[in-house]
Amino acid sequence: MSYQALMAQLAIGVSNGAFYAMLSLGLAVIFGMLNVVNFAHGALFMLGAFVALFLKLKLGLGYFPALLIVPIVVGLVGVLIDLTMLKRLRGLDPLYSLLLTFGITLVLEGIFRYFYGSSGVPYSAPDELVGAVDLGFMIMPLYRFWVIVASAVVCFGTWYAIERTRLGAYLRAATENATLTQAFGINVPVLLTLTYGLGVGLAGFAGVLAAPIYQVNPLMGSNLIIVVFAVVVIGGMGSILGAIVSGFALGILEGLTKVFYPEASNIVVFVVMAIVLLVKPAGLFGRAT
Amino acid sequence: MSTDAVLSVQDLQAWYGESHVLHGMGFDVRAGEVVALIGRNGAGKTTTLRAITGIVKKRTGSVRIESHEAIKLRSDKIAKLGLGYVPEERGIFATLSVRENLLLPPAVKPNGMTEAQIYELFPRLQERARSQGTKLSGGEQQMLAIARVLRTGARLLLLDEPTEGLAPVIVQQIGRIIRDLRSQGFTILLVEQNFRFAATCADRFFVVEHGRVVDQVAAGDMEAKSGELAAYLGV
């Protein structure tokens, strides 16, 4: 086993972990606040990649503008989904919203498969991010490095917004006791809709980051989302810090498994999930209820 | 009912799911008054507050706050009419620090207390500002729950069992705070199980039984009516 191969897998692991972290962060925020298991998360991640593609093909807008525009567009789609459909299911068993968002996934994927098949369309990384970066201890593809940095910044920004700002205090209060929060004069229904928009906006952002790596493909979300749900369960449903930490950690673990025992690399996350559920059913960072 | 009522409740009916809890509740609270709802456990006192605030959604009748009809409003809109709610068991958020708890409720009227004025009144809250809200002692949590609504500028306060589970010395302190707030012109509706405490700070008492008011006593008539009150409260 060469040092270079180990480091290469580690780099891929960390950047995969960056996607797990961003996606599970959105899921955790949505679950914590709305009690919705958002199965549409993967499809909205895919939608983010397609919107980036359309921006490039139809409007000639490149990668960096897409990083700004796509989260807003996908966030607005989320707001629309919430206002027209999800909102009607508030207060019902979470199973209903799970089925609804699963249905939305099937519809979205169906539409894009009809027009684009399942092979995928390439989306190239911007010239500024092509090449390799020498980190001293290893040489890493610049784009992977960028993904890790961008994801870390977005994860930290989201954590900061939730844990350290006034709006974040509203979100935490409403997560803990929505009824009382609203009785203090805070418009909780609007807060819930915004949270859903924010959570899926993160998925849209991740979709743009993923486009140059995975190609833009109608099924790119489904391939990832099952692992991401396992990450959320390991971190603790609804735990923001748990989602970020376990996202990165499991990406690294998966990378290492590819080096030392490749046969197990596709299942290692689920093995970890089973063990965590046995030992700590609320997840690593979850509070037992 | 008198026209200068800050809060006027008439024929209020409320339900928890299928169970009908309030059966024509009616009373009024005038500006600057402290009114206590007293009665046994399960008589509907807490539900009355929860129906006024809009937390209990299934309700009919009339709740007028500063002559605005609130019966059809959502709870956040009701708060904006100038209502400050101090819930049963204090409702301190565990995921928020003491300071975040204090700053949580948005201003509903101008001229609420500033953070500095609050800390002057409750110095302990400043010392513990960064602690987790629920790490405070029961008495401190109650102070925080009261302080929290003083910041909002609300002039009508609903206090649900502010002395529940607290040591006698803290209960006295809360009594002082309530009398102090009255002297500053706040209007207070108090729900109390602890009748002897209520007697130290309320101007009028409404006795609640089976979800309606069955008697009204002014503070001056307490002595004369003590026998009847004892019977109502089962003490």
Side-chain angles (χ1 to χ4, degrees), chain A residues 166 170 172-173 176 182-183 187, chain B residues 74-76 94-95 100 103:
Chain A
R166 189 73 181 270
Y170 286 176
R172 277 176 287 139
E176 189 176 331
Q182 188 164 350
N187 193 333
Chain B
R74 227 170 52 188
S75 63
D76 52 321
T95 47
E100 284 175 328
L103 300 183

Side-chain angles (χ1 to χ4, degrees), chain A residues 110-201:
Chain A
I111 291 172
F112 282 96
R113 269 170 85 169
Y114 180 80
F115 289 104
Y116 294 91
S118 43
S119 55
V121 187
Y123 182 98
S124 52
D127 296 339
E128 295 89 335
L129 297 175
V130 173
V133 56
D134 188 350
L135 296 176
F137 56 93
M138 70 171 296
I139 308 235
M140 189 170 179
L142 181 58
Y143 192 79
R144 293 260 177 196
F145 182 69
W146 156 250
V147 165
I148 295 166
V149 172
S151 158
V153 169
V154 164
C155 287
F156 176 78
T158 308
W159 174 86
Y160 187 89
I162 291 174
E163 295 295 329
R164 292 286 180 271
T165 67
R166 189 73 181 270
L167 184 66
Y170 286 176
L171 288 179
R172 277 176 287 139
T175 300
E176 189 176 331
N177 186 344
T179 311
L180 184 58
T181 305
Q182 188 164 350
F184 282 141
I186 294 164
N187 193 333
V188 172
V190 164
L191 212 54
L192 292 173
T193 301
L194 286 179
T195 304
Y196 190 74
L198 173 92
V200 304

